[in-house]
Each structure stands twice: as structure tokens, then as C-alpha cells.
Amino acid sequence: MTQPSPTATTGPSPAPGAGAAPGAGAPTRVLVLNSGSSSVKYQLLDMKDGGRLALGLVERIGEETSRLVHTPLLGGGGEKREKHGPIADHAAALKAVAEELAADGLGLDSPELAVIGHRVVHGGLRFTEPTVIDDAVLAEIERLVPVAPLHNPANLTGIRTAMSLRPDLPQVAVFDTAFHTTMPEWAARYAIDVETADAHRIRRYGFHGTSHAYVSRETARLLGKAPEEVNVIVLHLGNGASASAVAGGRCVDTSMGLTPLEGLVMGTRSGDIDPAVTFHLMRNADMSAEDVDVLLNKRSGLVGLCGDNDMREIRRRIDEGDARAALAFDIYVHRLKKYIGAYYAVLGRVDAVAFTAGVGENAAPVREAAVAGLEELGLAVDAGLNAERSDEARIVSPEYARVAVAVVPTDEELEIARQSYALVSGLAGEA
Ligand SMILES: Nc1ncnc2c1ncn2[C@@H]1O[C@H](COP(=O)(O)OP(=O)(O)O)[C@@H](O)[C@H]1O
Ligand SMILES: CC(=O)OP(=O)(O)O
Ligand SMILES: [Mg+2]
């Protein structure tokens, strides 16, 4: 099922500033755009030293209550700026971001900009490496829209808008799926008719790969070991959530599948269900395929179970004695625990379980509940360490525990910046 990657030009996950050294005076700044279904996260970095010049977020795009938060960081930083009011779509969001950057003297017209790096969620099997975007790459990302309907359209708008603002600049796509292309066939292939699966390219692709790659490497660093030496279970728990089993730096299994719907319970997505639920609803509940798609992607998960998808709000409701919120939490954690057990078995030996993204980094009760009762597997958290708040990667298991439980903040934007810059500075070196 593997295919060569005709557009690949460099290896994944390079060290900061890796690739051929740019010529003296060559631009070193990278703008990274992480366009989600209803948000855009962005960072401007200088790869001379990896320092951030600005970062921000536009959220609730398409609603009346859109919000832009921009943080200038150049020269010791400036005041955070917030703007409220409707932002109709991703193109308008990017234009608003460009204006904020320009107000700090960091506009997209800057000659110091070397590349714009884009998170692209679905790259299919073709893109195993960061890739300079041209018409053929755009067409392939477009072709994959049906299997990433919440994400690839937003990614495409981000790319097209950035291209229109800086047509002269290289734009690089860094794919969520790339890290997972190392999965063995027995993990990637579904047990369905082989001809049908192959004709429709149905298999497990996996997502959040940039985060799984970054966090598994940072976890090895936290343990004082090389990535090749450690086996890590990474739990990326954001709005979308996925688990991966990483053996010696390579992904060997992951919980998301053909689309980002499978696996863990998420903010609005069901994760694993019996596939027969879909045709049962279509046959018996007068629902179309589209209706079931919306149900499972947008009206399920935590929001479907208790009406809230934000773990902060769910914890607040549990503290007030809300039974629906408590059940939603228990279902979320039960699924998580099943995946920890499954990937423990897949890996055979586990050095660390790493929690990351909004929930994983911040929700101590989720971490505690997910490993509760797994002492026989060498897993436990230290209540005091687990409750501490910090932006740093840290171990929260007791010293005696055989397996480290770690909290490792993800940084998809930094990883995308490193990969994008390595690719274009490598290209510049070849020119
Ligand atoms: N302090 C916190 N405590 C508990 N959960 C939090 C906290 N901060 C953020 N979260 C959770 O993280 C989620 C967002 O995670 P994030 O990784 O930013 O998601 P995404 O990138 O998918 O939008 C929120 O929906 C919320 O559930
Ligand atoms: C792939 C995916 O689920 O991404 P996100 O968490 O940004 O929605
Ligand atoms: Mg995310």
C-alpha cells in the first residue's frame, strides 16, 4: 500500500535550523498558519535562533462572536491585543492576521520572510514529507477534502490567501498524516475486503502527526534518552484527540483512521462506535449520510454527552454535582484508558505515557483518572506533581513508577516552522 513520494525533498523532524545553511543575509523568518475548522493559530518565528516574534489566534470564525488575540513578542514583547466582532471566513481571518502583523512592523511584505508554513491535516499516502506547494499539491489536498471535511478546506483557504498576499514566496505544507506513514500494514489496514479498500484508498492514516512527532521526541529528551531508545504512548487531547504508539521514534499505531473521527472521545466527535450505528440510523431514523456525518462529527463526543465540549466547564459542573457532566467525563476517561492498555500491548515495553494539547496539558483530573488502577502496569501519578501548573515539560509520576507519566506541551507551530525552513533553506542551498 505504500507509494513513493514524488514531491518529497527532505527528511521529517529536522533539528532547529537543520538543512543546508542559508547564504549570508538570506531571510530567516517563518510564518506558520495552523488553520482549523473554525480557528486559525499562527506564529512568526526567526529561525536564526528559533525565537518567536509574534503569535496569535482567531477563533469562532464564521460566527458573530469571532475573536482575534494577537501577542507581539519582538524586543521584549508588547501588549496583547484583542479584537471582537464577526470574521466571516478563513480568508477574512488571514487578512486580519496580516494587518495585526503589519501594525507591529512584521507585515507579510517583509523581505525577511523566508517561507510560509501551513498545517495540512490530510495528505493521504502521497505526502510523507514537508512539501513545497504548487498547483499539483493544491489539487491533491483538494482531492482529499471528502476525508477531512472539517479541516482540508480551511487549510486550502489559508494557503490560497497566503499565496495571494505573497505570490513570490515559497509556501510549504506540513501534513498531519506524514508521521503515521511508518505504521505497519497490520496496524494501518482495516479488516475489510482488500479490493474495495484499495480501490477507495481506505486505510488508517492518522492525524495530529506533527504533534505526536514533536511530543515523542521531547519526551525522550525529558527522560535524557535518544528518541531511538524509547517507547512512548502519546495522548494528544485537544478538541480533536488522538493516541499514538511510538516505538524508537517511529509511529507503529494511532487511534484516528481514514478521517479524524475514529478513536478517542473528543470535544464534538464520537470516536469509536460500531459502524452499524450509521446504517441503522439511515434505515430507521430517517437520517441521510450527511445527517449522520454531522451527528458524529459535531453533535457527539463531550458536547453530545453533556452539552459542553470544554473540559474546564465540565470539571466546573462536576464540582457542582452535575451527573451528566460526570458521566461524560467517565466515558472520556474510560476510552483513554482502553487505548493506554491497547498501546501498552502493541509496544510491549513502555518508557513513558505523555499527555499533551489543551486537555492533556491542563486537566490534572483527566491524567489522574486515565492511569488510575494501572499500578500493575507500572503506571501511577504523584498527586502533588500532577496538580502543579507549569508550561514546561515535566514528569508527574512518582519516582518508584516503572513508566514515566509526562506532561509535554506540544508546539505544532514550532515543528512546522522547523520543517518548512529546513526544506526551503535546503532548496536555496541546492539552487
Ligand atoms: N485549563 C484547562 N483545563 C482543562 N481543560 C482545558 C484547559 N485549557 C484548555 N482546555 C481544553 O483544551 C481544549 C482545547 O485544546 P487545544 O489543544 O487548544 O485544541 P485544538 O487545537 O484542537 O483547538 C478546550 O476545548 C478544553 O477542553
Ligand atoms: C485532525 C484534528 O482532529 O485536528 P484538530 O484537533 O485541530 O481538530
Ligand atoms: Mg489542535
Side-chain angles (χ1 to χ4, degrees):
M1 293 193 70
T2 50
Q3 278 171 238
S5 157
T7 42
T9 41
T10 190
S13 312
T28 52
R29 290 183 181 173
V30 182
L31 176 65
V32 176
L33 298 175
N34 178 348
S35 301
S37 51
S38 66
S39 70
V40 178
K41 293 178 183 170
Y42 61 95
Q43 283 189 19
L44 181 67
L45 302 99
D46 196 327
M47 301 318 285
K48 267 203 306 276
D49 53 10
R52 291 179 177 81
L53 306 173
L55 56 83
L57 164 74
V58 189
E59 57 187 356
R60 295 193 290 274
I61 295 170
E63 297 178 31
E64 288 300 306
T65 57
S66 312
R67 182 172 82 121
L68 184 154
V69 186
H70 176 83
T71 308
L73 297 167
L74 187 60
E79 283 289 300
K80 194 185 261 196
R81 300 196 291 273
E82 273 202 37
K83 289 195 175 147
H84 296 259
I87 296 180
D89 53 30
H90 280 77
L94 275 193
K95 290 198 176 123
V97 169
E99 280 168 24
E100 290 303 323
L101 290 167
D104 294 335
L106 299 169
L108 261 70
D109 54 354
S110 163
E112 292 178 77
L113 209 52
V115 56
I116 301 181
H118 299 266
R119 175 189 183 205
V120 177
V121 163
H122 213 315
L125 276 185
R126 171 149 166 218
F127 300 114
T128 58
E129 310 283 354
T131 303
V132 174
I133 301 168
D134 58 17
D135 286 345
V137 174
L138 277 172
E140 184 64 8
I141 298 170
E142 182 103 56
R143 196 186 62 76
L144 291 161
V145 162
V147 280
L150 300 182
H151 296 93
N152 272 29
N155 304 153
L156 278 168
T157 306
I159 294 167
R160 290 198 171 110
T161 307
M163 280 179 152
S164 73
L165 294 171
R166 276 302 296 268
D168 58 313
L169 213 58
Q171 314 266 338
V172 170
V174 177
F175 296 91
D176 263 38
T177 40
F179 181 61
H180 303 301
T181 52
T182 55
M183 274 189 291
E185 182 91 355
W186 54 80
R189 188 176 273 283
Y190 292 112
I192 64 172
D193 173 68
V194 167
E195 278 75 34
T196 306
D198 289 353
H200 297 277
R201 297 187 173 94
I202 290 169
R203 55 168 257 146
R204 181 184 304 286
Y205 291 93
F207 301 90
H208 296 133
T210 311
S211 178
H212 287 284
Y214 177 85
V215 170
S216 56
R217 260 189 290 116
E218 287 300 306
T219 305
R221 192 207 301 266
L222 188 65
L223 299 180
K225 299 208 165 133
E228 298 73 36
E229 294 175 296
V230 297
N231 290 350
V232 187
I233 298 173
V234 179
L235 304 169
H236 175 107
L237 312 177
N239 246 319
S242 64
S244 69
V246 183
R250 289 165 69 85
C251 177
V252 294
D253 206 350
T254 195
S255 61
M256 283 180 165
L258 172 72
T259 79
L261 180 56
E262 195 181 352
L264 301 175
V265 176
M266 311 183 209
T268 67
R269 291 171 241 166
S270 62
D272 296 336
I273 56 162
D274 181 343
V277 170
T278 298
F279 34 88
H280 178 79
L281 288 172
M282 290 175 70
R283 288 183 189 130
N284 299 300
D286 197 25
M287 292 175 79
S288 65
E290 183 59 31
D291 293 337
V292 182
D293 194 329
V294 171
L295 171 77
L296 298 180
N297 274 295
K298 299 197 169 159
R299 293 171 40 223
S300 296
L302 293 171
V303 89
L305 289 166
C306 74
D308 270 310
N309 64 343
D310 193 307
M311 192 52 81
R312 284 163 288 200
E313 188 57 20
I314 291 170
R315 290 304 309 173
R316 199 191 55 72
R317 284 173 54 186
I318 293 172
D319 289 343
E320 287 175 356
D322 185 318
R324 262 182 79 191
L327 180 59
F329 182 87
D330 289 347
I331 294 169
Y332 183 94
V333 164
H334 178 70
R335 186 79 53 82
L336 206 48
K337 189 175 283 190
K338 286 211 285 195
Y339 271 93
I340 293 172
Y343 289 170
Y344 207 119
V346 165
L347 290 169
R349 189 204 81 226
V350 178
D351 298 289
V353 175
F355 286 85
T356 194
V359 176
E361 291 166 31
N362 296 297
V366 169
R367 297 192 294 261
E368 186 183 335
V371 301
L374 301 184
E375 293 81 5
E376 289 287 326
L377 296 180
L379 278 160
V381 296
D382 176 283
L385 293 175
N386 191 40
E388 275 172 25
R389 298 209 131 265
S390 162
D391 293 334
E392 301 290 316
R394 61 199 186 278
I395 291 173
V396 298
S397 43
E399 227 163 277
Y400 65 78
R402 267 202 329 278
V403 180
V405 177
V407 181
V408 180
T410 193
D411 198 336
E412 288 165 290
E413 286 78 16
L414 175 61
E415 182 74 9
I416 291 168
R418 287 172 176 169
Q419 295 193 21
S420 303
Y421 183 67
L423 179 54
V424 296
S425 52
L427 288 180
E430 281 165 24

